[in-house]
Structure formats: structure tokens, C-alpha cells
């Protein structure tokens, strides 16, 4: 199984799930999920090859498992 990294900003209640290496050009595009359908704001980040490299979750405390937030790196 591939390893991933999670960071969490408690003040902003925002988490970022890193799914892969972001190339030198950084995130090439971002797709915002429909906030009404997901009940919040979730953004998908893609690299310049179209690979999903990260997921930003706003309102993370209500969207992610508590164990994931507890184990996340604090920023």
C-alpha cells in the first residue's frame, strides 16, 4: 500500500491529504467538489500529468475520522 501524509490546521479546521509527490511545477489544477453535495468544501489537486496528488478538506473535524485527525501532523 502506498504511504500518504496528512496535515491538520486546528485553527482553520483544515486537513490536507498528500497522495503523491508534487512535481517541481507544483499543483497544476484544482477541482472543487460541489459543497452542497459533500456538505462542505473538498478540493482535489492534480499535477501536470493529471494525477491526483492531494485532497484539501475544510471543516475537516466533521468530515474525517477522528483517528486520522489525531494522527495528522500539526501545522
Amino acid at each position: 500500500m502506498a504511504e500518504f501524509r496528512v496535515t491538520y490546521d486546528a485553527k482553520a479546521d483544515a486537513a490536507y491529504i498528500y497522495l503523491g509527490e508534487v512535481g517541481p511545477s507544483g499543483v497544476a489544477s484544482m477541482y472543487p467538489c460541489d459543497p452542497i453535495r459533500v456538505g462542505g468544501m473538498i478540493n482535489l489537486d492534480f499535477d501536470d500529468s493529471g494525477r491526483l496528488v492531494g485532497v484539501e478538506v475544510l471543516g475537516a473535524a466533521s468530515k474525517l475520522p477522528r483517528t486520522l485527525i489525531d494522527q495528522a501532523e500539526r501545522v
Side-chain angles (χ1 to χ4, degrees):
M1 174 179 241
E3 291 187 34
F4 64 94
R5 180 175 149 231
V6 179
T7 59
Y8 179 67
D9 180 336
K11 187 174 182 179
D13 190 21
Y16 195 85
I17 304 167
Y18 296 82
L19 300 174
E21 291 284 324
V22 177
S25 60
V27 171
S29 64
M30 183 269 297
Y31 173 79
C33 296
D34 181 344
I36 294 171
R37 294 192 93 178
V38 298
M41 195 61 179
I42 299 173
N43 298 313
L44 306 177
D45 290 341
F46 297 88
D47 68 9
D48 55 3
S49 297
R51 289 182 294 242
L52 180 63
V53 294
V55 179
E56 178 185 35
V57 181
L58 305 178
S62 68
K63 293 288 167 214
L64 297 175
R66 184 79 231 166
T67 54
L68 185 63
I69 291 174
D70 289 344
Q71 295 174 6
E73 296 172 38
R74 295 302 193 255
V75 293

